[in-house]
Amino acid sequence: MTRLFQSNDQTLRRMCYLTIKEMANISEDVIIVTSSLTKDMTGKEDVYRGPAIRALCRITDTTMLQAIERYMKQAIVDKVPSVSSSALVSSLHMVKMSYDVVKRWVNEAQEAASSDNIMVQYHALGLLYHLRKNDRLAVTKMLNKFTKSGLKSPFAYCMLIRIASKLLDETEGGHDSPLFDFIESCLRNKNEMVVYEAASAIVHMPNCTARELAPAVSVLQLFCSSPKAALRYAAVRTLNKVAMKHPSAVTACNLDLENLITDSNRSIATLAITTLLKTGSESSVDRLMKQISSFVSEISDEFKVVVVQAISALCQKYPRKHSVMMNFLSNMLRDDGGFEYKRAIVDCIISIIEENPESKETGLAHLCEFIEDCEHTVLATKILHLLGKEGPRTPQPSKYIRFIFNRVVLESEAVRAAAVSALAKFGAQNDDLLPSVLVLMQRCMMDSDDEVRDRATFYMNVLQQKQKALNAAYIFNGLSVSIPGLEKSLHQYTLEPSEKPFDMKSVPLATTPITEPKTEIAPVATSKLPEKLARSRQDIYQEQLAAIPEFQSLGPLFKSSEPVQLTEAETEYVVRCVKHTFARHMVFQFDCTNTLNDQLLQKVVVQMEPSEAYEVIHYIPAPSLPYSQPGSCYSLVRLPDDDPTAVSCTFSCTMKYLVRDCDPNTGEPDDDGYDDEYVLEDLEVTVADHIQKILKPNFGAAWDEVGDEFEKEETFALASVRTLDEAVGNIISFLGMQPCERSDKVPENKNSHVLFLAGVFRGGHDVLVRARLALADGVTMQVTVRSSEETVVDVILASVG
Amino acid sequence: KEHLILRKGTEPSLYTVKAVLILDNDGDRLYAKYYDDTYPTVKEQKAFEKNIFNKTHRTDSEIALLEGLTVVYKSNIDLFFYVIGSSHENELMLMAVLNCLFDSLSQMLRKNVERRALLENMEGLFLAVDEIVDGGVILESDPQQVVHRVALRGDDVPLTEQTVTQVLQSAKEQIKWSLLR
């Protein structure tokens, strides 16, 4: 190989560099070529120097890098642009591996940034940013310098805009900062690339007002009529995003967007139509839908999903147009398409059905037709589940039974099992259908798959009892406990032999799992990771508390509240509290952070003075709170036994600790300290802390199941509330219970409403509330409470009163 | 939660290009350089190339969103040029790379941007791409500069006894041997 370096043929030499770069990953011992490359790098032939640098840096490691450091620094400030660029870009590649070495070249990079060459400016800026990005102050200074000095490079401008946006986002700066002004000024740059980058940056900023968006939107509007397809595409794609949050800002562009509907580039046409769907009026919907249906078969799956999502948003906006939409969606269902596409359509139809009772029968009919020939098990089972839930409530439930039973005969095991469950729901809700359902169920008991047989036998037996309570518990509303919690409790039970039967009430309830909020709705490259069962916050807390010996005898954790701030922002000590409710105790977890760098706090405890009969049993201190490292201390409180209705209480809280002053630079504390205290805000415990939300998909059945043995009713006048919406919101947040049957949504222009709430009270008792609200002169509310335990009913009514 | 829907979610970076591809008019690969591991195996790469070819070779439009990535493309006679970037990337930047590549090749091949001429000048192609994108970073955007740096001497390249491919092959062998020694 070294001999090849002696060749004078430039092409050959250059190809050698390429080969070296390609083989960099597989050859480990490359010292042989390093010296040749170093020679070329510092040689006289400019045409070799750049490529040699890039090849050398690809094979170099940290020790070798230090050896050529001198040459690299020289190369960065070299007058020949290709050499400088090569050195800068190679330095960037090496930041990951040898950050400390490359950091020493900051001054050279700074000097290179003042070059005239547009690519060198870009590369120097990029390298400087990567080296400094953890130091916000340095980045700000750099940005100020470059925005004032006026670079020439359009690429560098784009990079500056991105850095500025990121800074604005991180500091949550208001939009009257010089950074925003800089970005806005880029809208008037000569180069389209910069203009577009600026418009895109403004559009993506959170909290942008319509006025701030206006110049960006008008620039994008101009681009819509550009002869360059890429520009039209970029513009319409960005306008689409604006339309999501500020549809009114985009209406000015409607004419330009309509022109794009017939664009030869199908992606542009689709984006134009979906943007118009977001911003158009109700009357234009029919026309737009017709236009889309003419070309939807030609666009890619990803864009089909985009169109479906736009239709979904449109259905929510114009519920009266549901029949047009539904037709369109069912046509799309019949066409070819991938799983994601069909799923998006099914989800859209389901959401229309749920929002719009008038569309239910048509929607269900379309879905039945779909499952006749559906290859996706997940979708078929989802639809069957929906049929089971909604079908029995339609005027003619029997017509769905044929569809469902066909699935039992024809499909795979998972679908058959879902069909059996759906059938059971029909039998449970409609007495006249019950005999037919029982016959069908009997046939299912002969199925080849064990899950299907098990379900059929189970439902058969439940249905034959003909008891509403059983139907409710076993057919309508399933288990509401947390699965990881159930697994743990069962395991515990098997380890400790006991005469008593397993008590379901001892299992903690399911709370919503922690899910990542959905990022951009744009299509994502197919993810290859399997979905893991998400652990809820409660499961995490349960584990943390169980690790503390003093809390192990308290039993399972019933509920953990959201964190409550007990200090204002910007105070010396930041404290927030999470309230953990157990069967007969509460544990208060105080997460404390010390923001003073000249103090070390030790033996931190939050002392609590209750206003009612709560008794503080024990404090567990946080041993040490150094600067900026959060720690937790706990207080264990026993709930009053004698008066079960005393559920609310106010605690005045004071943080007590030992302070040792320390040297702010080294963190070394003094040897002795002194006691001190810090008053916190009062902490409230309310009825909501004793109740866990639980969703009952069929509230009526659950109401019957609990029974009226302990039912009580009272009427209240809500003096300070003006609207039904406000009243509904207040009750839900005050009681901390789950609204069911979508009763949290009050239809417009109604003077009365019924709110259904469900929950479980501490101790495992189901509690259901039906609140009839009427709007006359102010709001009156008639509250009916049912529970399996009388004290719970009293507690709820006492709290509301 | 709204702003999460709109946010680009990317860190400012010089790394903008994911891949540069040249396919012939059957959709087969003539040249491919991937700069990150979005498609780590050759099998996945070829599947991706097949997909984008199917979706783009019939239409004349320059830009599309496929498999969650922005694809800008240009075709001439029997060649299809693609530059691939993330969907968050500035589409005009990717176009700048595509245009630079196309214009540089156009000069180097004396306007014969078609398959046979390209195959006879693969070394020029390799060097040109190397001058335009380095490890995913745009290195140069001016086709004149690229042509100048590639500095092929055109017709008066002395005919060597071996073709470039053979030279590279023997170079590989040499390195192997020198490492084993």
Side-chain angles (χ1 to χ4, degrees):
Chain A
M1 191 63 171
T2 355
R3 261 189 278 148
L4 284 172
F5 272 93
Q6 293 161 2
S7 155
N8 283 327
D9 188 316
Q10 287 188 5
T11 318
L12 210 47
R13 179 85 67 96
R14 297 285 303 282
M15 293 305 282
C16 289
Y17 298 149
L18 286 191
T19 320
I20 292 169
K21 288 212 293 201
E22 287 303 317
M23 297 206 278
N25 292 335
I26 49 182
S27 310
E28 286 181 355
D29 186 4
V30 287
I31 302 196
I32 309 116
V33 291
T34 308
S35 57
S36 312
L37 283 173
T38 320
K39 203 162 69 108
D40 277 352
M41 179 174 141
T42 51
K44 281 202 291 247
E45 303 232 32
D46 282 344
V47 91
Y48 292 147
R49 290 172 63 207
I53 294 175
R54 287 185 278 129
L56 184 56
C57 293
R58 198 53 69 85
I59 59 175
T60 231
D61 64 20
T62 316
T63 31
M64 265 205 280
L65 188 58
Q66 300 196 12
I68 56 166
E69 189 169 351
R70 187 163 53 100
Y71 301 125
M72 285 301 292
K73 282 174 152 185
Q74 283 172 354
I76 291 177
V77 296
D78 198 289
K79 290 292 165 243
V80 177
S82 69
V83 174
S84 179
S85 279
S86 298
L88 287 164
V89 174
S90 301
S91 308
L92 182 63
H93 294 324
M94 293 191 292
V95 163
K96 253 194 299 285
M97 174 185 73
S98 318
Y99 177 79
D100 293 322
V101 179
V102 180
K103 197 154 170 49
R104 300 204 280 259
W105 309 341
V106 141
N107 292 328
E108 282 74 17
Q110 189 78 39
E111 200 186 311
S114 44
S115 153
D116 281 337
N117 182 291
I118 62 170
M119 296 314 289
V120 174
Q121 282 179 6
Y122 174 57
H123 299 141
L125 177 62
L127 180 62
L128 285 170
Y129 175 71
H130 274 274
L131 288 176
R132 289 177 173 154
K133 66 182 177 192
N134 290 324
D135 183 349
R136 197 183 291 169
L137 201 55
V139 173
T140 318
K141 258 177 46 184
M142 183 176 84
L143 208 54
N144 283 335
K145 174 165 179 289
F146 284 126
T147 52
K148 286 203 192 85
S149 68
L151 302 167
K152 283 193 311 194
S153 163
F155 292 97
Y157 264 108
C158 290
M159 186 69 179
L160 280 176
I161 292 173
R162 290 181 198 184
I163 300 175
S165 311
K166 183 151 197 279
L167 268 183
L168 267 179
D169 194 48
E170 274 179 359
T171 58
E172 289 175 25
H175 292 172
D176 48 1
S177 91
L179 290 174
F180 184 82
D181 292 337
F182 165 67
I183 299 179
E184 209 255 339
S185 71
C186 289
L187 288 174
R188 297 180 280 279
N189 192 288
K190 285 183 300 199
N191 189 307
E192 287 167 335
M193 186 164 70
V194 178
V195 174
Y196 172 64
E197 183 80 40
S200 185
I202 294 179
V203 161
H204 282 95
M205 276 185 215
N207 313 321
C208 226
T209 66
R211 203 166 54 94
E212 286 159 355
L213 281 175
V217 169
S218 48
V219 141
L220 294 171
Q221 183 177 7
L222 280 172
F223 285 163
C224 282
S225 27
S226 158
K228 294 191 217 166
L231 210 43
R232 296 197 302 274
Y233 172 86
V236 87
R237 191 156 171 249
T238 317
L239 281 174
N240 195 330
K241 293 193 190 148
V242 179
M244 274 193 231
K245 249 175 95 175
H246 298 272
S248 45
V250 182
T251 26
C253 308
N254 274 356
L255 204 52
D256 307 86
L257 288 171
E258 294 207 14
N259 285 336
L260 290 178
I261 295 180
T262 46
D263 196 293
S264 57
N265 183 318
R266 282 321 188 197
S267 312
I268 295 180
T270 312
L271 283 168
I273 285 212
T274 50
T275 314
L276 283 168
L277 283 175
K278 285 178 196 145
T279 64
S281 60
E282 195 165 349
S283 48
S284 57
V285 167
D286 290 331
R287 188 167 50 90
L288 286 172
M289 299 299 282
K290 255 203 218 97
Q291 271 169 318
I292 299 185
S293 44
S294 63
F295 74 72
V296 79
S297 48
E298 296 172 22
I299 57 180
S300 69
D301 257 22
E302 284 124 337
F303 277 114
K304 286 186 189 165
V305 174
V306 171
V307 173
V308 173
Q309 284 166 344
I311 295 174
S312 191
L314 202 64
C315 294
Q316 290 185 342
K317 216 167 130 186
Y318 301 122
R320 286 186 301 203
K321 286 287 173 187
H322 64 84
S323 44
V324 172
M325 314 278 197
M326 197 71 95
N327 270 336
F328 182 73
L329 289 168
S330 64
N331 284 334
M332 286 169 96
L333 257 189
R334 282 188 209 114
D335 290 332
D336 293 323
F339 171 66
E340 287 298 331
Y341 172 56
K342 296 279 164 97
R343 182 168 77 163
I345 302 178
V346 169
D347 284 342
C348 188
I349 295 182
I350 292 180
S351 67
I352 298 181
I353 293 177
E354 283 178 350
E355 295 281 333
N356 227 317
E358 297 162 36
S359 64
K360 190 156 37 169
E361 298 235 14
T362 350
L364 291 177
H366 286 308
L367 291 174
C368 282
E369 189 197 323
F370 176 58
I371 54 175
E372 300 257 277
D373 188 22
C374 169
E375 65 208 31
H376 304 286
T377 313
V378 171
L379 293 180
T381 49
K382 189 167 183 172
I383 293 175
L384 283 168
H385 184 81
L386 179 74
L387 282 175
K389 195 169 123 184
E390 300 288 341
R393 301 189 213 186
T394 58
Q396 284 178 304
S398 51
K399 63 182 177 185
Y400 299 111
I401 300 217
R402 174 173 69 84
F403 285 104
I404 301 179
F405 191 65
N406 280 343
R407 305 277 70 70
V408 173
V409 174
L410 297 169
E411 301 276 0
S412 68
E413 306 78 51
V415 179
R416 296 203 299 271
V420 168
S421 300
L423 272 179
K425 294 202 172 105
F426 277 86
Q429 197 137 13
N430 304 87
D431 289 328
D432 33 327
L433 288 175
L434 185 56
S436 329
V437 170
L438 286 173
V439 169
L440 295 174
M441 210 54 95
Q442 193 128 28
R443 276 193 238 167
C444 297
M445 288 187 356
M446 308 299 223
D447 193 279
S448 55
D449 178 72
D450 56 341
E451 173 73 23
V452 180
R453 287 198 303 271
D454 286 347
R455 288 196 193 189
T457 319
F458 175 69
Y459 289 130
M460 181 87 168
N461 280 312
V462 172
L463 287 170
Q464 280 171 334
Q465 309 281 339
K466 299 195 188 171
Q467 285 188 34
K468 286 213 166 181
L470 289 177
N471 286 354
Y474 297 123
I475 299 182
F476 290 127
N477 299 318
L479 274 185
S480 47
V481 294
S482 122
I483 308 283
L486 181 62
E487 190 184 337
K488 271 211 198 78
S489 303
L490 284 171
H491 186 64
Q492 198 79 23
Y493 185 73
T494 55
L495 291 176
E496 299 162 12
S498 163
E499 291 284 316
K500 296 185 305 183
F502 180 72
D503 183 11
M504 198 56 113
K505 295 220 164 98
S506 68
V507 182
L509 295 164
T511 47
T512 45
I514 303 174
T515 44
E516 304 289 322
K518 263 199 164 69
T519 46
E520 217 180 274
I521 297 187
V524 176
T526 46
S527 140
K528 295 158 193 139
L529 302 169
E531 279 186 26
K532 294 191 247 179
L533 188 60
R535 281 163 79 220
S536 69
R537 250 177 87 239
Q538 187 142 320
D539 294 327
I540 296 176
Y541 281 135
Q542 170 109 27
E543 276 180 30
Q544 284 178 345
L545 293 171
I548 302 177
E550 287 85 344
F551 299 152
Q552 279 175 357
S553 57
L554 298 179
L557 175 62
F558 177 70
K559 176 178 174 173
S560 299
S561 74
E562 293 294 325
V564 177
Q565 295 288 352
L566 294 180
T567 52
E568 310 244 308
E570 313 282 338
T571 46
E572 305 99 310
Y573 311 119
V574 176
V575 179
R576 54 173 219 176
C577 177
V578 180
K579 300 174 266 190
H580 302 289
T581 314
F582 291 82
R584 274 182 289 283
H585 297 82
M586 280 185 83
V587 169
F588 297 92
Q589 171 181 341
F590 297 96
D591 296 326
C592 314
T593 311
N594 167 19
T595 67
L596 300 175
N597 64 354
D598 58 349
Q599 281 192 354
L600 171 68
L601 306 186
Q602 291 184 316
K603 301 201 197 115
V604 181
V605 159
V606 176
Q607 193 170 70
M608 303 169 72
E609 292 289 333
S611 63
E612 308 288 337
Y614 284 55
E615 187 189 330
V616 180
I617 306 180
H618 193 66
Y619 290 110
I620 296 183
S624 164
L625 279 183
Y627 166 58
S628 183
Q629 283 180 18
S632 302
C633 61
Y634 300 86
S635 310
L636 175 61
V637 170
R638 186 181 11 241
L639 299 168
D641 307 315
D642 40 355
D643 186 6
T645 56
V647 289
S648 44
C649 180
T650 311
F651 291 88
S652 48
C653 301
T654 318
M655 195 167 92
K656 297 203 166 160
Y657 46 90
L658 180 74
V659 179
R660 287 163 72 182
D661 292 318
C662 35
D663 181 8
N665 295 322
T666 63
E668 286 295 311
D670 290 347
D671 287 332
D672 50 331
Y674 52 93
D675 286 319
D676 201 0
E677 62 180 51
Y678 186 78
V679 176
L680 304 170
E681 287 176 18
D682 285 345
L683 181 65
E684 296 258 338
V685 171
T686 63
V687 67
D689 292 314
H690 298 261
I691 300 185
Q692 180 68 286
K693 292 182 176 191
I694 195 169
L695 177 67
K696 297 278 185 199
N698 189 326
F699 186 83
W703 189 253
D704 290 334
E705 182 194 351
V706 169
D708 57 1
E709 190 184 343
F710 298 118
E711 175 183 301
K712 290 201 185 158
E713 194 172 277
E714 261 193 58
T715 310
F716 304 92
L718 303 174
S720 53
V721 178
R722 303 269 95 215
T723 67
L724 289 178
D725 254 331
E726 206 185 321
V728 165
N730 285 353
I731 300 176
I732 293 175
S733 57
F734 177 69
L735 287 178
M737 293 170 73
Q738 174 74 35
C740 300
E741 308 281 358
R742 307 179 76 86
S743 57
D744 51 336
K745 295 208 169 60
V746 181
E748 284 183 19
N749 305 325
K750 289 282 268 322
N751 289 344
S752 63
H753 186 66
V754 185
L755 177 65
F756 299 115
L757 297 173
V760 176
F761 194 80
R762 170 176 54 85
H765 304 287
D766 273 339
V767 56
L768 302 170
V769 169
R770 181 184 64 199
R772 289 200 172 100
L773 297 144
L775 179 67
D777 236 342
V779 179
T780 42
M781 178 170 78
Q782 180 191 52
V783 178
T784 319
V785 186
R786 283 190 184 187
S787 173
S788 44
E789 176 71 42
E790 188 172 10
T791 37
V792 175
V793 179
D794 291 333
V795 165
I796 302 283
L797 282 175
S799 326
V800 178
Chain B
K1 240 201 236 169
E2 272 176 354
H3 78 271
L4 283 167
I5 298 177
L6 291 186
R7 187 209 283 263
K8 280 190 188 174
T10 45
E11 164 81 7
S13 158
L14 292 190
Y15 294 95
T16 48
V17 180
K18 281 188 183 266
V20 174
L21 308 169
I22 305 184
L23 308 179
D24 67 12
N25 57 1
D26 295 321
D28 292 326
R29 179 196 275 201
L30 286 172
Y31 175 83
K33 188 105 176 76
Y34 287 82
Y35 296 106
D36 67 10
D37 51 7
T38 313
Y39 295 101
T41 64
V42 177
K43 189 160 171 237
E44 289 171 340
Q45 290 170 2
K46 294 231 164 138
F48 173 64
E49 288 155 30
K50 190 156 182 267
N51 187 22
I52 61 173
F53 182 75
N54 284 337
K55 298 267 168 67
T56 56
H57 77 275
R58 260 170 271 141
T59 62
D60 223 359
S61 2
E62 311 170 339
I63 185 165
L65 180 65
L66 297 166
E67 295 196 23
L69 301 171
T70 299
V71 178
V72 298
Y73 58 99
K74 198 162 181 157
S75 69
N76 199 52
I77 306 178
D78 52 2
L79 290 176
F80 291 82
F81 296 81
Y82 298 88
V83 174
I84 320 282
S86 115
S87 60
H88 301 298
E89 202 47 72
N90 183 326
E91 291 85 349
L92 297 183
M93 244 193 227
L94 298 174
M95 282 305 291
V97 173
L98 182 68
N99 288 331
C100 181
L101 174 63
F102 190 87
D103 294 341
S104 314
L105 278 180
S106 187
Q107 275 195 47
M108 284 159 46
L109 302 176
R110 298 169 199 282
K111 312 244 186 215
N112 276 352
V113 184
E114 43 102 26
R115 188 166 173 270
R116 183 190 297 205
L118 187 66
L119 286 176
E120 285 173 3
N121 286 284
M122 283 304 268
E123 68 272 18
L125 170 63
F126 284 134
L127 294 178
V129 178
D130 187 58
E131 289 295 335
I132 300 176
V133 183
D134 184 275
V137 178
I138 304 177
L139 198 54
E140 181 53 66
S141 61
D142 179 359
Q144 296 292 21
Q145 283 296 317
V146 175
V147 172
H148 174 72
R149 290 174 201 173
V150 168
L152 290 174
R153 263 174 279 156
D155 292 322
D156 33 68
V157 171
L159 287 170
T160 52
E161 282 149 22
Q162 296 173 310
T163 64
V164 178
T165 339
Q166 284 171 311
V167 169
L168 286 177
Q169 188 61 35
S170 61
K172 264 196 226 166
E173 294 296 326
Q174 291 214 8
I175 288 199
K176 244 200 296 183
W177 281 111
S178 60
L179 294 175
L180 288 173
R181 235 177 276 137

